[in-house]
Amino acid sequence: MQAEIITIGDEILIGQIIDTNSAFIGKALNSIGVSVYQITSIQDEKEHLIKAFKEAEENADIIIVTGGLGPTKDDITKHTLTEYFNDTLVQNDLVLAHVEQLFEKYITTPISDLNRKQALVPSTCNVLMNKYGTAPGMWLEKGNKTFISLPGVPYEMKALIEDEVLPKLAHKYKRPFILHKTILTYGLGESAIAERLEQIEDQLPKHIKLAYLPSLGRVRLRLSGKGNDEDILSADIQTQVDNILPLIKDIFVGFEDNNNSIEQIIASQLVKTNQTLAIAESCTGGKLTQTFTQHSGASAYFKGGLVTYATQSKIDILGVDQAIIEEHSVVSEAVAKAMAINVREKLNADIGISTTGNAGPTKGDSDAEVGTVYIGFATKLGVKAYKFNMGNHRERVINKTVNKSLELLQKEIFEN
Amino acid sequence: MQAEIITIGDEILIGQIIDTNSAFIGKALNSIGVSVYQITSIQDEKEHLIKAFKEAEENADIIIVTGGLGPTKDDITKHTLTEYFNDTLVQNDLVLAHVEQLFEKYITTPISDLNRKQALVPSTCNVLMNKYGTAPGMWLEKGNKTFISLPGVPYEMKALIEDEVLPKLAHKYKRPFILHKTILTYGLGESAIAERLEQIEDQLPKHIKLAYLPSLGRVRLRLSGKGNDEDILSADIQTQVDNILPLIKDIFVGFEDNNNSIEQIIASQLVKTNQTLAIAESCTGGKLTQTFTQHSGASAYFKGGLVTYATQSKIDILGVDQAIIEEHSVVSEAVAKAMAINVREKLNADIGISTTGNAGPTKGDSDAEVGTVYIGFATKLGVKAYKFNMGNHRERVINKTVNKSLELLQKEIFEN
């Protein structure tokens, strides 16, 4: 059972936007046992669309097309797909009523003919209602092959995949099980890990693969397997996990399964142990806070985040002693500690975290080398701070510091 | 002159990582007049790699391959490419010396045979030295077709594209000019804009295209053109810009060229007018702050951001009067105003912005409908707050609120 994802839009090929849809769709298809054979991104150009549709139909059973469904002239997916299926466009009254309702409720400009044309669909398609937007999803069949056209707007596409596409595919096709188990490690490079795991890798059964995903201080080890019996497959993967874990005890952080990112693992543990968190950020500029608040349910454990970016705000808002800053500089162990202690107290939280560093490209208010970062932790047991050099690239320093903070926090709350 | 980008790695197809490399490469190639015909993402699987190489060779002049160059067994690009070129692997002494040096300088674990094998390259390739990592880039030619293999690690790939690939391609191929000009608008939907621009679109010259890129309260209008004379092409695009601007005066924000996003336009204006900014966020959870601090130079105008996520923190940290919250609820005009006034005062800034709302999926500490958001502005002239309904999807509410805040702030500082 193979799928191909086709994403359409000049903006992808000229690099104006990053295609995030394909990753979401790939993960979703895997969850119901469908493998993705290929992801193809092409321009809004009729001949190329038709060529891509043909090739995908040869290689895959399920073809998911996103993008090109807007009301403007540069969007040609719907017309091209209708032509590919030798079909004609007809008005769908349910879609029309939905478009009119959306305009009434959320949009201040009056509805136009362009908007109403969103209700035109190929006569043989099954409409997938798009509750968040005006462009409907479309489900078209050719024998045992299925073409699914979805809008490119991520949250519209996501809802359609979850509410409509996955249940319908699961109903139509018999599928094997695909399971992934990802081991999160922090603190060792991929080749050093690979050496430890060499014997295990040589003896992996054929239906299980091991992959290494290194990223800024973190390496994820992914075991993937495919099989017809979910329990047997799950046990086979677990056997490999049990073989691997004793060899990487010192760097093992947790498992990243089903949207279980490290911050979600941390969040669950904080809620379970009835602890709260507060964050004071300097060099990470709000990104650590946002990593937690992007997920719903954060209010159960998250007290607040203070982005004291300017030095003066560390004094005014966090109440860091000016003398400490003057003596040690703003990028220092002493300031990281003071920030963590004070944010914990001010927000009445169990755990306070702080970051202070030079993300670069210039040195800012401190003499510390670009890339120097301190991460502080305050709990009822006391305060600690750790020093790092995160390299000389701004985006990298910020992201590596966020990752390192999550790693340290995870250790902190699971070990204490 | 056409290129195809092939990104390799199971992690892309199963959705474990998002392919950000293709967008960077697409933009870089465009900048030297090379169009990207297609982006193809495939698994680490030999037959599929060879099939993709063949198809790309038929369709494109330049084939850029990223990924699959790691030292571990799941990485097969180098071996497969060598086989595709009927070549053999030989040791490159410069690369070996470089790998050894990297280990000496930055890595705490000892160098291994796996790492040394990174110095093996196809005998007929031109090595592209990778200053940030151990896997070298490789340049291989077949007549007038060029295959370029690069590591998948983004900052390694980026440096190789900029320092090696672009200059070499510019030297080898005669290319046209490709120019893009993107007009940023906020506050009107794409179809309403399309109606205003209908006549202009109908009369666009053949070598210029107009595309609409809508995203949560913002629409980008991109004019793209291709031609052999840069000055003429540039003038042709400018003519269209001059035609369009009078029709969208009320929603025009600026041009997004060369990383000139709305927050960077705002930042420049704040620095130019010597004004400072402070932010108090509730429902946006740090994202508005992070939008500014992700760029270097923020300390010139940014005082700090307070993410008062929990209701109590609005009282404790921002000093919002508990009575106001009790009387009006935490999602209210009164609270948005108090947050803006207080953050401005506490951080001693010229402009204070606040967000408070229900991002959903549940109502939280307020009775306001999910999607209800207030954005507050405090300046020396006084305080204002605006009410919106941002819809019923968490990620959308957050991003739309960030965009709307940027839109309002841009208007605020350019009009006052």
Side-chain angles (χ1 to χ4, degrees):
Chain A
M1 188 56 48
Q2 301 256 42
E4 179 162 340
I5 301 167
I6 301 176
T7 61
I8 296 172
D10 293 355
E11 61 274 21
I12 297 171
L13 295 142
I14 68 168
Q16 194 165 27
I17 68 157
I18 288 167
D19 168 26
T20 58
N21 286 348
S22 298
F24 178 87
I25 297 171
K27 199 181 242 181
L29 290 175
N30 264 230
S31 74
I32 60 160
V34 176
S35 305
V36 176
Y37 171 81
Q38 182 166 312
I39 299 165
T40 309
S41 300
I42 57 175
Q43 300 160 19
D44 297 288
E45 204 254 312
K46 195 174 118 180
E47 281 68 37
H48 200 161
L49 258 69
I50 287 176
K51 182 166 178 280
F53 292 161
K54 263 191 202 134
E55 286 172 1
E57 197 181 317
E58 280 164 25
N59 296 322
D61 310 288
I62 299 158
I63 298 95
I64 298 191
V65 182
T66 71
L69 297 184
T72 51
K73 292 186 189 184
D74 53 322
D75 289 308
I76 61 164
T77 302
K78 187 163 70 181
H79 286 91
T80 309
L81 203 54
T82 306
E83 185 179 323
Y84 186 72
F85 273 80
N86 292 316
D87 202 349
T88 50
L89 289 169
V90 296
Q91 179 173 298
N92 183 295
D93 294 336
L94 272 176
V95 175
L96 184 60
H98 172 65
V99 171
E100 286 172 345
Q101 200 195 2
L102 279 180
F103 263 79
E104 212 164 291
K105 191 156 178 202
Y106 295 116
I107 304 172
T108 47
T109 44
I111 189 167
S112 73
D113 282 349
L114 273 183
N115 303 123
R116 288 201 185 87
K117 278 187 186 157
Q118 296 285 57
L120 294 176
V121 298
S123 71
T124 59
C125 90
N126 252 306
V127 164
L128 311 175
M129 288 300 287
N130 175 3
K131 61 183 169 190
Y132 295 123
T134 56
M138 291 168 283
W139 173 290
L140 289 149
E141 300 191 346
K142 234 188 196 182
N144 203 35
K145 309 267 177 176
T146 304
F147 279 75
I148 299 155
S149 167
L150 301 175
V153 180
Y155 64 90
E156 298 179 13
M157 174 280 298
K158 284 180 189 174
L160 280 165
I161 287 280
E162 282 167 355
D163 301 345
E164 302 286 340
V165 175
L166 295 187
K168 271 177 179 291
L169 288 177
H171 183 258
K172 177 169 177 181
Y173 294 98
K174 194 171 145 44
R175 298 141 289 116
F177 290 93
I178 298 174
L179 296 179
H180 303 288
K181 183 126 190 159
T182 298
I183 300 169
L184 275 172
T185 74
Y186 281 78
L188 194 67
E190 65 169 327
S191 52
I193 300 175
E195 278 177 31
R196 294 192 189 178
L197 303 185
E198 196 175 359
Q199 274 210 340
I200 289 175
E201 265 195 271
D202 286 341
Q203 292 163 12
L204 274 183
K206 262 203 150 173
H207 64 301
I208 293 180
K209 285 174 88 172
L210 174 63
Y212 295 80
L213 295 111
S215 161
L216 301 175
R218 174 183 75 181
V219 177
R220 292 184 285 181
L221 305 175
R222 188 191 63 238
L223 288 156
S224 303
K226 199 190 269 196
N228 288 317
D229 185 309
E230 190 174 12
D231 293 336
I232 295 175
L233 180 60
S234 177
D236 289 349
I237 289 180
Q238 191 54 46
T239 302
Q240 299 307 322
V241 171
D242 294 341
N243 291 340
I244 290 172
L245 286 188
L247 302 174
I248 56 164
K249 257 188 202 161
D250 51 327
I251 54 170
F252 172 66
V253 157
F255 296 100
E256 186 187 64
D257 291 326
N258 297 323
N259 297 319
N260 219 3
S261 57
I262 188 167
E263 72 271 13
Q264 287 170 304
I265 295 173
I266 291 168
S268 305
Q269 181 71 5
L270 288 174
V271 172
K272 213 169 104 186
T273 56
N274 203 20
Q275 293 185 86
T276 56
L277 178 68
I279 300 175
E281 299 184 67
S282 183
C283 63
T284 47
K287 187 142 196 183
L288 185 56
T289 294
Q290 216 265 319
T291 301
F292 289 103
T293 61
Q294 69 181 314
H295 305 291
S296 63
S299 39
Y301 66 90
F302 187 64
K303 291 284 193 158
L306 307 185
V307 185
T308 50
Y309 201 72
T311 299
Q312 189 60 38
S313 70
K314 294 183 181 67
I315 300 164
D316 295 345
I317 295 297
L318 269 173
V320 175
D321 191 340
Q322 184 150 11
I324 294 182
I325 295 174
E326 274 164 18
E327 190 185 336
H328 299 275
S329 116
V330 71
V331 176
S332 64
E333 186 180 328
V335 169
K337 283 182 174 173
M339 288 172 71
I341 292 172
N342 293 10
V343 80
R344 176 177 180 264
E345 276 175 14
K346 281 197 179 281
L347 287 169
N348 192 26
D350 296 301
I351 302 170
I353 311 184
S354 67
T355 67
T356 181
N358 279 343
T362 53
K363 284 192 174 180
D365 282 351
S366 158
D367 279 342
E369 199 186 341
V370 170
T372 307
V373 171
Y374 290 86
I375 300 173
F377 280 85
T379 65
K380 63 176 183 219
L381 300 173
V383 63
K384 290 178 268 193
Y386 305 85
K387 182 183 181 180
F388 303 95
N389 188 318
M390 300 302 192
N392 58 358
H393 184 281
R394 184 176 180 84
E395 190 188 331
R396 191 175 177 225
V397 172
I398 294 173
N399 289 325
K400 222 174 157 177
T401 305
V402 169
N403 277 347
K404 186 52 90 175
S405 305
L406 294 170
E407 171 193 348
L408 294 170
L409 176 57
Q410 197 271 348
K411 288 225 167 87
E412 184 69 39
I413 60 171
F414 278 89
E415 281 166 17
N416 290 309
Chain B
M1 189 56 47
Q2 301 255 41
E4 179 162 338
I5 301 168
I6 301 176
T7 61
I8 295 171
D10 294 353
E11 61 275 21
I12 298 171
L13 294 143
I14 69 167
Q16 194 164 27
I17 68 158
I18 288 167
D19 168 27
T20 57
N21 285 349
S22 297
F24 178 87
I25 297 171
K27 201 180 241 178
L29 290 175
N30 264 229
S31 75
I32 60 161
V34 176
S35 305
V36 176
Y37 170 81
Q38 182 166 313
I39 300 165
T40 308
S41 299
I42 57 175
Q43 301 161 19
D44 297 289
E45 205 253 314
K46 196 174 118 181
E47 281 69 36
H48 201 162
L49 259 68
I50 287 176
K51 182 166 180 280
F53 292 162
K54 263 191 201 135
E55 287 172 2
E57 197 182 318
E58 280 165 25
N59 296 324
D61 310 288
I62 298 160
I63 297 96
I64 298 192
V65 182
T66 71
L69 298 184
T72 51
K73 292 186 187 183
D74 53 321
D75 290 308
I76 60 164
T77 302
K78 187 163 69 182
H79 286 91
T80 308
L81 202 56
T82 306
E83 186 179 322
Y84 186 73
F85 273 80
N86 292 317
D87 201 347
T88 50
L89 290 169
V90 296
Q91 180 173 297
N92 183 294
D93 293 336
L94 272 177
V95 175
L96 184 61
H98 172 65
V99 171
E100 285 171 345
Q101 200 195 1
L102 279 180
F103 264 79
E104 212 165 291
K105 193 157 176 202
Y106 293 116
I107 304 173
T108 48
T109 45
I111 188 167
S112 72
D113 282 349
L114 273 184
N115 303 123
R116 287 201 185 86
K117 278 188 185 155
Q118 296 285 59
L120 294 176
V121 298
S123 71
T124 58
C125 90
N126 253 306
V127 164
L128 311 174
M129 288 300 287
N130 175 3
K131 61 183 169 192
Y132 294 124
T134 56
M138 292 168 283
W139 173 290
L140 288 148
E141 299 191 346
K142 235 188 197 183
N144 203 34
K145 308 268 176 174
T146 305
F147 278 74
I148 299 156
S149 166
L150 300 173
V153 180
Y155 64 92
E156 297 179 15
M157 175 280 297
K158 285 180 188 174
L160 280 165
I161 287 281
E162 282 166 355
D163 301 345
E164 302 286 341
V165 175
L166 295 186
K168 272 177 178 289
L169 288 177
H171 184 256
K172 178 169 177 181
Y173 294 99
K174 194 171 145 45
R175 300 141 288 115
F177 290 92
I178 298 174
L179 295 179
H180 303 288
K181 183 126 190 160
T182 298
I183 300 170
L184 273 173
T185 75
Y186 279 75
L188 195 64
E190 65 169 326
S191 52
I193 300 175
E195 278 175 33
R196 295 194 189 175
L197 303 184
E198 196 174 357
Q199 273 209 339
I200 290 175
E201 264 195 272
D202 286 341
Q203 293 164 13
L204 274 183
K206 262 206 152 171
H207 65 299
I208 293 181
K209 284 173 87 172
L210 174 63
Y212 295 78
L213 295 111
S215 161
L216 301 176
R218 174 185 76 182
V219 178
R220 293 183 285 181
L221 305 174
R222 188 190 64 239
L223 288 157
S224 303
K226 200 188 270 196
N228 289 317
D229 185 308
E230 191 174 12
D231 293 335
I232 294 176
L233 180 61
S234 179
D236 289 349
I237 288 181
Q238 191 56 47
T239 303
Q240 299 307 322
V241 171
D242 294 340
N243 291 340
I244 289 172
L245 285 189
L247 303 174
I248 56 164
K249 257 188 201 161
D250 51 328
I251 54 170
F252 172 67
V253 158
F255 295 101
E256 186 188 65
D257 291 326
N258 300 320
N259 297 319
N260 217 3
S261 57
I262 187 169
E263 71 270 14
Q264 287 170 303
I265 294 172
I266 291 169
S268 306
Q269 181 70 5
L270 288 174
V271 171
K272 213 168 105 186
T273 56
N274 204 19
Q275 294 185 87
T276 56
L277 178 67
I279 299 175
E281 298 185 66
S282 182
C283 63
T284 47
K287 188 143 196 181
L288 184 58
T289 294
Q290 216 266 318
T291 301
F292 288 103
T293 60
Q294 68 181 313
H295 305 290
S296 64
S299 40
Y301 66 90
F302 187 64
K303 290 284 192 159
L306 307 185
V307 185
T308 49
Y309 201 73
T311 299
Q312 189 60 38
S313 71
K314 295 183 179 67
I315 301 165
D316 295 345
I317 295 297
L318 269 173
V320 175
D321 191 340
Q322 182 150 14
I324 294 181
I325 296 175
E326 274 163 18
E327 189 186 337
H328 300 275
S329 114
V330 71
V331 176
S332 64
E333 186 180 328
V335 169
K337 283 182 174 173
M339 288 172 70
I341 292 171
N342 294 11
V343 79
R344 175 176 180 266
E345 276 175 14
K346 281 196 179 283
L347 288 169
N348 192 25
D350 296 302
I351 301 169
I353 311 184
S354 67
T355 67
T356 180
N358 279 342
T362 54
K363 283 193 174 181
D365 283 352
S366 158
D367 280 341
E369 201 187 341
V370 169
T372 308
V373 170
Y374 291 86
I375 300 174
F377 279 84
T379 64
K380 64 177 181 216
L381 300 173
V383 63
K384 288 178 269 193
Y386 304 88
K387 183 183 180 179
F388 303 95
N389 187 320
M390 299 302 191
N392 57 357
H393 184 282
R394 184 177 180 84
E395 190 188 331
R396 183 175 185 223
V397 172
I398 294 173
N399 290 325
K400 219 172 160 179
T401 305
V402 168
N403 279 345
K404 185 52 88 175
S405 306
L406 295 170
E407 172 192 345
L408 294 171
L409 176 58
Q410 198 270 349
K411 289 225 167 91
E412 184 71 39
I413 61 172
F414 278 89
E415 282 167 16
N416 290 308

